[in-house]
């Protein structure tokens, strides 16, 4: 009997699992409140739906002012998918940073926070802290977010430089193969200063003096 009940329970879980799967997939597009959960797992690091919503919120606000109905739902879904992709990219970059055992000194982060307080809060640290508290952030969490932002910026800059810098040897090889593009034929430049003649006056002496 217990065996039968167990099989029946497993069957119910399977049915409910299949029923809930489309709902989970539609979580990004659904308008009602969505319970927070895992949007993605990147090598063991969890990305929550709340993180996706927080990143896509400014874009969503703009979309709500421009679209309605099914078109709005479609645009919201695309915005959240793009936000999720960006969060996954960031997490991969941070993991690569940690794998290489790079470090950003604490005083760099402290200096950045100080600049934010100076530029955005007129140097008023108390207002800055109250703003963080209103957004349910602690100073430590804000510093962590800022550290991650600096890591992503530094790593992306590193990759751009690596891809755009060309070695002197390759530059020389390119020049030799395309020498004609960087050379031109010999040219003669002629410059003349013309002094108008006054044959009717016969004042050639004045013209010579002017020349």
């Amino acid at each position: 009997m217990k065996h039968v009940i167990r099989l029946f329970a497993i069957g119910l879980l399977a049915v409910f699992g299949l029923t809930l799967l489309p709902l989970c997939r539609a979580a990004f597009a659904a308008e009602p409140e969505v319970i927070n959960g895992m949007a993605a797992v990147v090598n063991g690091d969890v990305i929550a739906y709340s993180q996706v919503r927080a990143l896509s919120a400014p874009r969503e606000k703009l979309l709500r002012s421009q679209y309605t109905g099914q078109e709005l739902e479609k645009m919201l879904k695309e915005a959240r998918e793009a936000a999720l992709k960006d969060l996954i990219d960031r997490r991969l970059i941070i993991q690569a940073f940690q794998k290489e055992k790079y470090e950003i000194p604490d005083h760099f982060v402290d200096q950045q926070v100080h600049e934010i307080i100076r530029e955005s809060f007129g140097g008023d640290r108390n207002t800055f802290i109250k703003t963080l508290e209103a957004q349910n952030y602690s100073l430590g969490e804000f510093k962590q977010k800022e550290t991650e932002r600096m890591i992503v910026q530094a790593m992306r800059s590193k990759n751009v430089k690596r891809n755009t810098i060309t070695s002197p040897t390759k530059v020389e090889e390119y020049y030799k193969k395309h020498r004609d593009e960087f050379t031109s034929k010999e040219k003669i430049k002629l410059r003349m200063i013309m002094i108008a003649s006054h044959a009717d006056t016969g004042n050639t002496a004045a013209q010579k003096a002017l020349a």
Side-chain angles (χ1 to χ4, degrees):
M1 182 66 179
K2 289 182 179 179
H3 181 67
V4 173
I5 294 173
R6 185 177 180 184
L7 288 175
F8 179 70
I10 293 173
L12 281 177
L13 286 173
V15 171
F16 281 117
L18 291 173
T19 304
L20 290 174
L21 185 59
L23 295 178
C24 293
R25 288 178 177 173
F28 278 150
E31 191 60 31
E33 182 180 357
V34 178
I35 298 175
N36 195 24
M38 292 188 300
V41 180
V42 185
N43 297 325
D45 291 345
V46 174
I47 297 175
Y49 283 116
S50 59
Q51 293 173 275
V52 178
R53 288 295 184 89
L55 184 60
S56 66
R59 174 65 178 165
E60 289 186 33
K61 184 178 180 180
L62 179 62
L63 291 173
R64 292 180 195 280
S65 66
Q66 297 176 335
Y67 301 94
T68 57
Q70 292 184 350
E71 191 173 12
L72 173 61
E73 294 299 327
K74 177 185 176 183
M75 299 300 290
L76 289 176
K77 183 178 179 181
E78 291 177 357
R80 291 165 189 167
E81 288 175 349
L84 177 59
K85 182 179 181 300
D86 186 49
L87 286 170
I88 292 172
D89 289 344
R90 292 185 191 183
R91 183 49 49 189
L92 288 171
I93 290 172
I94 291 170
Q95 289 175 351
F97 181 90
Q98 294 169 342
K99 184 178 180 181
E100 295 293 336
K101 300 187 183 303
Y102 296 139
E103 290 184 359
I104 291 183
D106 291 340
H107 69 271
F108 277 13
V109 181
D110 291 338
Q111 182 179 356
Q112 180 64 19
V113 172
H114 177 75
E115 287 297 316
I116 291 172
I117 295 174
R118 184 180 64 83
E119 293 178 2
S120 301
F121 298 89
D124 190 339
R125 187 179 180 85
N126 289 333
T127 303
F128 168 69
I129 296 296
K130 288 180 180 178
T131 303
L132 289 182
E133 291 174 350
Q135 298 176 355
N136 295 320
Y137 269 102
S138 67
L139 180 59
E141 289 172 332
F142 181 81
K143 284 186 175 181
Q144 179 63 29
K145 293 289 184 183
E146 196 61 26
T147 300
E148 291 181 356
R149 188 192 65 78
M150 293 172 71
I151 288 173
V152 171
Q153 184 178 7
M155 290 294 283
R156 282 177 175 169
S157 176
K158 176 175 177 287
N159 288 334
V160 168
K161 289 180 180 179
R162 178 183 296 174
N163 292 334
T164 56
I165 292 177
T166 306
S167 67
T169 303
K170 289 186 177 181
V171 171
E172 185 177 358
E173 289 176 358
Y174 183 89
Y175 172 74
K176 288 179 179 178
K177 291 179 181 179
H178 303 82
R179 189 185 298 270
D180 293 341
E181 297 178 13
F182 300 94
T183 57
S184 58
K185 297 180 180 180
E186 294 182 354
K187 296 179 180 179
I188 298 176
K189 289 185 179 180
L190 176 64
R191 294 183 179 179
M192 300 178 65
I193 299 176
M194 302 295 295
I195 300 175
S197 62
H198 299 282
D200 55 337
T201 61
N203 194 3
T204 56
Q207 290 177 318
K208 288 183 180 179
L210 180 60

